[in-house]
Amino acid sequence: MMLVVASVIPLVGFTLVREYLDYQKAVTSSGQKTLELTRSLSLAVEKELQARIAVLQVLALSRPLRDGDLEGFRAQADAVVAQQFPGSNILLLRDDGQQIFNTLLPQGAPLPARKNLETIKAVFATGRPAVSDTFVGLVSRRYVIAIDVPVRRADGTISHVLSVNPQIDAFDQVIRSQRLPESWLISIFDRQGANVARNLNPERFIGQKAVPLLRERMLSKPEDIFETTSREGIRVLTAFTRVEPFGWTVAMGVPVAELTAPAINAALRTLVAGGAVLSLGLVLAAVLTRQITGPMAMLRHLATAANRREILNPPATGLNEADEVVQALYLSEMARRQSEQEVRDRSDELESTNRALEAEVDVRQKAEQKARAQLGHLYLLHQITRAIGERQDLNSIFQVVVRSLEDQLPVDFTCLCFHDAVDHTLTVRRVGIKSSALALELAMPERARIDIDENGLSRCVLGQLVHEPDIGQSTAPFPQRLAQGGLRSVVLAPLQVESRVFGVLVAARASAQGFSSGECEFLRQLSEHVALAVHQAQLYGALQQAYQDLQQTQQAVMQQERLRALGQMASGIAHDINNALSPVALYTQSLLETEPDLSVRARGYIETIQRAIEDVAQTVARMREFYRQREPQLELVAVHLNPLVQQVIDLTRARWNDTPQQRGVVIALRTELAVDAPPIAGVESEIREALTNLIFNAVDALPNGGTLTLRTRLVREDSGPGEILLEVSDDGVGMDEETRRRCQEPFFTTKGERGTGLGLAMVYGVARRHGAEVDIVSAVGTGTTVGLSFPIPDKTATTTAAPDARPAMPPRLRLLLIDDDPLLLKSLRDTLEADGHVIVTANDGGAGIEAFRAACDRGETFAAVITDLGMPNIDGRRVATAVKNASPATPVIMLTGWGKRLISDDEIPPHVDHLLSKPPKLRELRETLAACCGPAR
């Protein structure tokens, strides 16, 4: 019966233990599943927060907000609340928490200051979005949270914080979307452990702290599983996880009663079945026991005799099975006694030999393993050193190191960090591919910063190799961080060059005592090789940067020389162009003054011609000077860019509108002009010409049509009056990087025979003379934007152009005109005769000198002599000398196409009283004659 009891009771006990273990396994599995559900819910909460942050970030970039148009921005904010955040309110706050507007209150209502400033300060300090803890809203008088994002100025600094107070119900919807059992307890907590959302009794517990045990674990761990009691007094299996990067926590509680009920029922069933089996076994055992007790007593006697080393003849027991057992025992006892002695003798001999062999094998195996490990480490070190020696950039060096350690050492986690001696921190520079997932879990992705405290890191940055065989026993923050990822041992090797530690190599394994002394030595040697390779790469990078700087300097010098050569060559062309323009200029000015009966249309045409002549004259005057900085003697006037833009649009209309339409192409012109833009200091004709060139280039870049945009923008600066940006944009073919780099070089063109290569070079010269910056942004297929940034001058830096007033007219004079250009000579004579003067002309220098001397011989005098400079045989200098020798009191006025260059270079020829530039202006000519001979009375 005892056999039955001994057989059944262990079976029942085993079944109960097995069911208990299954219950424990089920509880553990339920805990892990619950933790997975909390992670899923935390991702949903993070997604909900990120979605609202993304909408706020887009709203923070709106143009009304950046332009200070709060009324327009409020309309946008109300639309966002209505469409995407029903029931929420959007606020704009200063750094002190003062509300600028609140969509929950009507416009003009008094706005309180927010008292919860933690996230506002964080946004201003870091420039990143932030999510607050729960607090009672000053306007809504209910528990709310705040999602804050920065609002940046044009220079990138933060001006305000844009905030939204979403309804807490939004997070209840996130909980309900998980479709979990209604008996489960689900809560979302903020960083302080206060309830943000709850599926059971939310009206009672929103804003209240979690139970003490749960709150203590939430504040100390990112996630955990344990049993606790809820606010309702229910015993629950709780799992929680943290919502990164906002610091919130999601917790789920499964009632323990739901987990224990199946196990209790199974145990009761097992006990009932075990009792029945035990009862039946006892009855059967009582019957069989009586039949086998006699033979068993005989066998016991024989066995006892054998133990006394006695050999008895086997008697008959009356039970066949027992008789066979007795006979077998007798024979086996005899054989056992014989073989036992033989085995004993041989065992002693083999045992002695085996001990000697085991000792020798153990020594050889250890030596072989050590030698094999050393050879493997040396080969791996050779491979890594050779690979990084062939590379010159830090990223590829680091990648080779971490990949080799992961694949061939191997390690479970590795990364390379740079040491910042000033901030006393480490910055993760490279993480192994296989270590990336674990790095995210440890909050150690690339570019993450790690504080150095009094632990292994502090010793490592001092140049020591640090080996922690079991980091689970360490209390330092960095080993604890690694332990949270399942790592148990770590080696920290310093990257050191010339006694300066600039980085740390981190290698870790999931097992305690995971690194041998040979592997630690290998990592130390590897860190020395890596440090040397990094130092060489940095030296190579510095040398390469110096070489690039030298190349850029050479290119700048070459470009300046090309510009200088172009200016010198262009000065020779300027004289001939000015001579050709002079008759047109004189007749145009004369028509505008002497023909009052001209129609409005005709007068407008002639004024346009006059403006174009002045622009051409300014252009040829600048052909030699466009590469220079603005000359100090250049008189600047206040130029308003918006009217100038409209003038250029009218002047170039045929180019961007009429001509493309003849080819069946449409170019849409759009203007975006700044309101109340202040004037700049400059020369209107030069800026008009530069803008014209930019429009022509933009039209050429739109062979199939498109949009041409002219834009002025006011850019304010804290340290000064700011700048006005004049931009010309097109959505045409665009330029590649090489073309963009060379586009301002003289004679460089991509238009073939149609282009001269001088357009952007002229724009560059105009910008330099006005102290402006040229910025070109272009990409193939997306178009080009050329911007000119003009500084806004002080009020005293510019002069306002005086209104046109008729100058003082000189008296009727007798004048001698000398020039080798017959058209200029005739036009100048006609114009001066129209003013009532008596004109004598000579078509070269020699004829002019003879005419002057002949008049002197006759006793006739000239009030003034007007002569050209560049003439064949006898130039203007010799003419002036001859006139002064004959009549020192006679004024000599030199009219030349090189006038502006001679004035700017202070090279006025001797004996010349006044120097004028071609094409001549009647106003300047009359003022000069009045200054020489006195005004008419």
Side-chain angles (χ1 to χ4, degrees):
M1 288 190 291
M2 294 302 296
L3 180 61
V4 173
V5 174
S7 300
V8 174
I9 290 181
L11 181 60
V12 173
F14 173 79
T15 304
L16 292 176
V17 171
R18 180 60 184 268
E19 290 178 353
Y20 176 77
L21 293 177
D22 291 341
Y23 162 72
Q24 292 293 334
K25 184 176 180 181
V27 171
T28 302
S29 177
S30 298
Q32 290 298 325
K33 291 180 181 179
T34 305
L35 181 60
E36 292 297 329
L37 290 175
T38 61
R39 291 171 180 169
S40 175
L41 181 56
S42 71
L43 292 176
V45 173
E46 180 181 357
K47 182 179 178 182
E48 178 72 17
L49 293 174
Q50 291 289 3
R52 295 175 182 271
I53 289 174
V55 173
L56 282 183
Q57 288 176 330
V58 172
L59 191 60
L61 297 175
S62 66
R63 181 174 293 277
L65 179 57
R66 299 183 68 180
D67 293 342
D69 182 9
L70 293 181
E71 183 176 355
F73 178 70
R74 182 184 179 92
Q76 290 185 345
D78 289 337
V80 169
V81 170
Q83 296 175 7
Q84 301 188 30
F85 302 151
S88 303
N89 60 303
I90 295 179
L91 307 89
L92 185 65
L93 307 104
R94 296 200 303 257
D95 58 350
D96 59 354
Q98 178 60 48
Q99 300 182 19
I100 298 177
F101 83 84
N102 188 331
T103 58
L104 195 61
L105 296 177
Q107 189 169 1
L111 299 174
R114 196 168 91 185
K115 298 181 179 180
N116 184 9
L117 301 180
E118 180 182 356
T119 53
I120 296 178
K121 293 180 179 180
V123 171
F124 272 92
T126 65
R128 294 192 297 269
V131 179
S132 74
D133 297 327
T134 56
F135 62 95
V136 178
L138 297 177
V139 176
S140 62
R141 300 299 179 180
R142 56 182 174 84
Y143 280 104
V144 296
I145 64 165
I147 302 175
D148 301 332
V149 300
V151 178
R152 298 182 181 275
R153 303 184 180 93
D155 58 356
T157 60
I158 299 174
S159 60
H160 299 87
V161 166
L162 188 61
S163 178
V164 65
N165 297 140
Q167 282 191 329
I168 299 297
D169 297 341
F171 300 102
D172 293 339
Q173 180 62 33
V174 173
I175 294 175
R176 289 193 295 272
S177 66
Q178 302 298 309
R179 299 181 179 179
L180 299 172
E182 295 182 356
S183 61
W184 289 21
L185 177 61
I186 306 167
S187 295
I188 302 174
F189 299 95
D190 60 18
R191 287 183 295 270
Q192 301 302 321
N195 265 289
V196 178
R198 199 173 194 268
N199 66 328
L200 299 180
N201 302 318
E203 66 280 359
R204 291 177 54 193
F205 300 111
I206 294 299
Q208 294 189 18
K209 303 294 185 181
V211 296
L213 178 59
L214 175 58
R215 185 167 180 266
E216 177 184 356
R217 295 210 179 191
M218 285 194 303
L219 296 179
S220 62
K221 296 182 179 181
E223 60 182 21
D224 200 359
I225 304 171
F226 62 100
E227 287 188 13
T228 185
T229 302
S230 70
R231 289 284 187 183
E232 291 84 353
I234 301 173
R235 193 66 179 174
V236 291
L237 177 64
T238 302
F240 69 85
T241 187
R242 192 165 294 159
V243 180
E244 299 294 348
F246 305 108
W248 286 15
T249 303
V250 174
M252 287 187 185
V254 181
V256 175
E258 293 184 11
L259 301 177
T260 58
I264 294 174
N265 294 333
L268 291 176
R269 288 194 297 269
T270 301
L271 290 174
V272 171
V277 172
L278 180 60
S279 300
L280 180 60
L282 291 175
V283 172
L284 294 175
V287 175
L288 295 175
T289 299
R290 296 176 181 177
Q291 299 180 4
I292 63 174
T293 53
M296 292 302 296
M298 180 62 70
L299 289 177
R300 184 169 58 254
H301 175 71
L302 291 176
T304 303
N307 289 336
R308 294 197 304 269
R309 298 185 180 275
E310 297 177 2
I311 301 177
L312 301 176
N313 293 325
T317 63
L319 187 63
N320 294 334
E321 291 82 357
D323 292 341
E324 292 176 357
V325 171
V326 169
Q327 186 65 30
L329 286 173
Y330 175 76
L331 295 176
S332 65
E333 176 65 19
M334 297 300 293
R336 184 188 65 78
R337 290 173 180 259
Q338 182 179 358
S339 62
E340 186 179 45
Q341 185 61 38
E342 296 177 357
V343 171
R344 191 161 35 254
D345 296 339
R346 292 183 180 180
S347 296
D348 293 341
E349 181 181 354
L350 290 174
E351 185 177 0
S352 177
T353 305
N354 187 51
R355 283 198 297 270
L357 289 174
E358 285 179 351
E360 184 177 354
V361 169
D362 185 59
V363 172
R364 290 188 178 183
Q365 285 181 344
K366 290 182 179 179
E368 184 178 355
Q369 290 176 355
K370 186 175 181 180
R372 188 181 298 111
Q374 290 177 347
L375 288 175
H377 293 159
L378 288 175
Y379 179 70
L380 179 57
L381 182 62
H382 170 72
Q383 282 185 316
I384 297 176
T385 303
R386 183 174 181 180
I388 64 179
E390 296 172 352
R391 290 164 171 78
Q392 296 297 336
D393 62 295
L394 296 181
N395 288 332
S396 62
I397 291 174
F398 292 162
Q399 186 62 37
V400 167
V401 173
V402 296
R403 181 176 297 177
S404 300
L405 290 179
E406 285 181 333
D407 296 340
Q408 301 181 40
L409 190 55
V411 294
D412 298 313
F413 176 79
T414 181
C415 68
L416 280 161
C417 305
F418 271 7
H419 175 223
D420 189 339
V422 178
D423 295 339
H424 202 51
T425 59
L426 291 179
T427 302
V428 180
R429 181 62 182 272
R430 177 63 66 182
V431 177
I433 296 176
K434 297 180 181 179
S435 305
S436 299
L438 185 56
L440 292 176
E441 182 180 348
L442 297 175
M444 291 177 58
E446 293 181 5
R447 295 185 296 275
R449 297 174 69 88
I450 304 171
D451 293 332
I452 299 175
D453 48 16
E454 296 301 326
N455 52 32
L457 288 178
S458 60
R459 288 186 287 125
C460 185
V461 297
L462 293 177
Q464 300 179 20
L465 179 76
V466 178
H467 176 211
E468 292 286 350
D470 188 356
I471 60 178
Q473 301 177 359
S474 176
T475 59
F478 184 68
Q480 281 187 347
R481 176 185 292 190
L482 297 180
Q484 290 176 359
L487 301 174
R488 294 295 303 276
S489 57
V490 65
V491 175
L492 308 175
L495 303 179
Q496 183 174 359
V497 173
E498 298 177 354
S499 300
R500 182 180 67 88
V501 176
F502 65 88
V504 174
L505 171 62
V506 180
R509 284 177 173 161
S511 60
Q513 309 294 333
F515 292 94
S516 64
S517 60
E519 289 174 329
C520 293
E521 178 62 20
F522 162 75
L523 290 173
R524 186 191 64 79
Q525 295 178 358
L526 176 61
S527 67
E528 294 177 354
H529 287 266
V530 172
L532 181 60
V534 170
H535 184 61
Q536 291 177 344
Q538 290 174 341
L539 291 177
Y540 175 80
L543 180 61
Q544 191 175 37
Q545 182 63 41
Y547 178 70
Q548 291 175 354
D549 293 344
L550 179 61
Q551 281 186 321
Q552 292 176 357
T553 303
Q554 290 175 340
Q555 290 177 356
V557 172
M558 292 174 62
Q559 182 178 6
Q560 190 68 19
E561 288 301 320
R562 285 194 293 268
L563 294 175
R564 187 183 303 277
L566 176 62
Q568 294 173 351
M569 180 180 63
S571 64
I573 303 173
H575 179 267
D576 295 336
I577 296 177
N578 285 331
N579 280 343
L581 288 175
S582 295
V584 183
L586 288 170
Y587 284 132
T588 301
Q589 296 174 63
S590 179
L591 283 173
L592 290 174
E593 289 186 4
T594 61
E595 298 295 335
D597 297 331
L598 288 173
S599 65
V600 175
R601 184 177 182 182
R603 180 170 293 275
Y605 286 167
I606 295 176
E607 288 175 348
T608 301
I609 293 172
Q610 184 183 34
R611 190 181 300 116
I613 293 171
E614 292 174 353
D615 288 350
V616 172
Q618 291 287 345
T619 300
V620 298
R622 292 193 307 273
M623 288 179 67
R624 185 183 66 90
E625 305 294 340
F626 73 93
Y627 65 95
R628 297 182 176 180
Q629 291 279 4
R630 174 171 50 84
E631 297 172 357
Q633 70 271 19
L634 186 63
E635 182 178 357
L636 303 180
V637 298
V639 178
H640 292 271
L641 290 182
N642 289 352
L644 183 66
V645 169
Q646 193 58 50
Q647 289 180 11
V648 175
I649 291 174
D650 295 336
L651 287 173
T652 60
R653 185 176 301 276
R655 183 68 177 273
W656 60 263
N657 185 63
D658 301 342
T659 302
Q661 287 184 357
Q662 293 175 2
R663 297 185 285 109
V665 173
V666 176
I667 296 178
L669 189 140
R670 187 175 65 185
T671 59
E672 300 175 3
L673 305 181
V675 180
D676 298 330
I680 64 170
V683 179
E684 182 175 343
S685 60
E686 291 192 5
I687 301 174
R688 182 166 50 243
E689 180 186 8
L691 184 57
T692 300
N693 279 327
L694 294 178
I695 291 178
F696 286 171
N697 285 344
V699 171
D700 291 338
L702 296 168
N704 300 319
T707 302
L708 174 61
T709 304
L710 276 69
R711 182 183 301 109
T712 59
R713 265 192 309 123
L714 182 61
V715 180
R716 293 292 186 184
E717 295 181 357
D718 296 337
S719 59
E723 296 178 333
I724 292 184
L725 182 62
L726 174 61
E727 290 183 337
V728 178
S729 302
D730 65 78
D731 55 1
V733 296
M735 297 182 287
D736 56 26
E737 182 60 26
E738 177 65 17
T739 303
R740 190 199 66 79
R741 186 178 63 83
R742 299 188 58 196
C743 63
Q744 297 185 70
E745 295 181 5
F747 305 117
F748 176 78
T749 180
T750 58
K751 304 176 185 177
E753 296 181 355
R754 296 186 300 107
T756 63
L758 293 177
L760 283 178
M762 287 291 186
V763 173
Y764 171 77
V766 171
R768 292 291 300 275
R769 285 192 296 277
H770 285 78
E773 296 293 334
V774 181
D775 183 33
I776 301 176
V777 179
S778 183
V780 176
T782 61
T784 301
T785 298
V786 181
L788 301 178
S789 301
F790 293 95
I792 299 176
D794 297 333
K795 295 182 179 180
T796 58
T798 60
T799 60
T800 303
D804 291 338
R806 189 175 182 87
M809 294 293 292
R812 187 172 185 271
L813 304 173
R814 188 168 183 268
L815 304 173
L816 174 61
L817 304 183
I818 306 172
D819 202 301
D820 61 335
D821 188 336
L823 290 177
L824 174 60
L825 198 62
K826 181 179 183 305
S827 60
L828 188 59
R829 177 175 182 172
D830 293 342
T831 304
L832 291 176
E833 285 181 346
D835 285 349
H837 301 298
V838 177
I839 306 301
V840 177
T841 61
N843 57 6
D844 60 35
I849 293 174
E850 291 179 0
F852 186 82
R853 289 175 177 171
C856 290
D857 293 341
R858 294 193 301 271
E860 300 174 353
T861 60
F862 290 102
V865 175
I866 302 177
T867 180
D868 189 13
L869 175 59
M871 295 181 290
N873 300 324
I874 298 177
D875 62 4
R877 293 181 179 85
R878 295 175 62 183
V879 171
T881 302
V883 169
K884 288 297 183 179
N885 290 336
S887 177
T890 301
V892 176
I893 301 172
M894 182 168 287
L895 182 63
T896 175
W898 293 304
K900 288 187 177 181
R901 181 179 67 83
L902 294 175
I903 293 173
S904 64
D905 294 343
D906 196 19
E907 295 180 358
I908 301 176
H911 307 299
V912 174
D913 297 292
H914 296 278
L915 184 64
L916 300 178
S917 298
K918 294 180 181 178
K921 296 182 179 180
L922 285 180
R923 182 188 185 90
E924 294 178 354
L925 187 57
R926 289 168 179 163
E927 289 176 348
T928 303
L929 290 174
C932 292
C933 308
R937 298 182 180 178

